[in-house]
Amino acid sequence: MSVTVKPLVAGNWKMNGLLADLEEFGRMSAGISSALSQSVDTMICAPATLIGAMAGKAAGGSMAIGGQDCHPDASGAHTGDVSAEMLRDAGATAVIVGHSERRTDHGEGDDKVAAKAMAAWRAGLLAIICVGETEKERKAGNALSVVERQLNGSVPDGATAANTVVAYEPVWAIGTGLTPTAGDVEEVHKAMRANLSARFGGEGEAMRLLYGGSVKPANAAELMAVTDVNGALVGGASLKSDDFIGILKAYA
Ligand code: 13P
């Protein structure tokens, strides 16, 4: 059974954005009508260097600001890392954990991702936990088992619809222009819903499940209409206000 939840479209700016790009962010925020903000929650997950300034600019508007990663600890001798508490202090209300680029570039496994999700909760942040199979895993017919394993390992006990969002991002669809068919997305999202509902009951039923990977204005309406897809995690198309607003229009 699916429950009606307010969708979330979150942009992930990845390692992009300088102070000069706050103007583009301003155009994005200004482009979200109050009607649109009532039908969809919106967020930009900014590089750590921009969170403070972006949160300042977003104040009073409908756009939330998130981080892209956090260290499991609140503070300490971890040169170059940023804690969930620091993100919160800078104005973030959410943080992405377990993005495939972190899993690959920094060798982060499910245990580490779960520890980061708990750090997010400790700091009062929404944890956006990413899962998704590689092309090799899909071709071998293992997409569902990989996603299930990542969910079991990366989503900690205590997850609720209020503190956690899960993003399904097939690795082969990220930045490639390729997307799974609506049927393939539905199959994975249904399996994720069943897994989370079995584990977390009503909280799992109401948890938002985002699709991510080459979401664009041209394919957003079709992908967002899939059962158990409650929004999107958007990379490249979140850098330009016209594209991001174009995606949001799937919910107009
Ligand atoms: P693209 O939308 O650029 O494919 O990136 C998706 C992504 O990784 C969002 O986290």
Side-chain angles (χ1 to χ4, degrees):
M1 192 196 69
S2 356
V3 178
T4 306
V5 295
K6 189 174 182 191
L8 166 67
V9 174
N12 174 8
W13 276 25
K14 307 192 179 184
M15 198 171 73
N16 297 293
L18 302 173
L19 283 173
D21 297 299
L22 289 174
E23 253 182 66
E24 191 67 20
F25 172 74
R27 278 192 285 278
M28 240 173 240
S29 313
I32 301 172
S33 66
S34 59
L36 203 50
S37 71
Q38 274 166 31
S39 54
V40 58
D41 285 336
T42 54
M43 179 188 298
I44 293 295
C45 295
T49 48
L50 286 186
I51 288 174
M54 216 182 247
K57 209 164 166 105
S62 58
M63 190 89 101
I65 306 303
Q68 300 173 8
D69 176 56
C70 64
H71 191 279
D73 293 348
S75 62
H78 302 290
T79 303
D81 276 312
V82 174
S83 73
E85 280 77 0
M86 290 169 171
L87 295 174
R88 171 92 192 191
D89 190 49
T93 55
V95 61
I96 297 170
V97 295
H99 191 282
S100 67
E101 287 150 17
R102 300 285 320 172
R103 291 179 188 260
T104 303
D105 294 358
H106 300 273
E108 294 181 8
D110 289 325
D111 289 353
K112 182 59 97 45
V113 176
K116 291 179 175 208
M118 287 191 282
W121 300 344
R122 181 189 65 220
L125 300 180
L126 173 73
I128 302 174
I129 303 174
C130 299
V131 298
E133 82 285 356
T134 62
E135 184 179 22
K136 195 169 160 211
E137 289 162 340
R138 176 157 284 270
K139 285 199 165 138
N142 295 331
L144 290 181
S145 61
V146 167
V147 167
E148 187 122 15
R149 191 185 68 227
Q150 290 179 339
L151 277 184
N152 291 340
S154 297
V155 181
D157 290 343
T160 68
N163 69 17
T164 300
V165 166
V166 173
Y168 168 57
E169 298 207 303
V171 178
W172 53 273
I174 295 176
T176 59
L178 302 171
T179 53
T181 63
D184 285 342
V185 173
E186 181 168 353
E187 183 184 35
V188 174
H189 277 243
K190 270 193 171 161
M192 295 201 299
R193 180 71 70 207
N195 174 295
L196 294 165
S197 301
R199 202 166 149 210
F200 302 110
E203 295 297 329
E205 270 166 37
M207 206 173 279
R208 290 182 287 189
L209 307 182
L210 312 187
Y211 168 77
S214 297
V215 178
K216 311 275 182 238
N219 61 20
E222 186 191 8
L223 290 164
M224 298 305 100
V226 171
T227 305
D228 282 315
V229 170
N230 314 116
L233 187 54
V234 184
S238 72
L239 294 168
K240 292 269 170 274
S241 80
D242 287 352
D243 289 342
F244 194 64
I245 300 288
I247 289 168
L248 294 177
K249 287 196 173 140
Y251 291 105

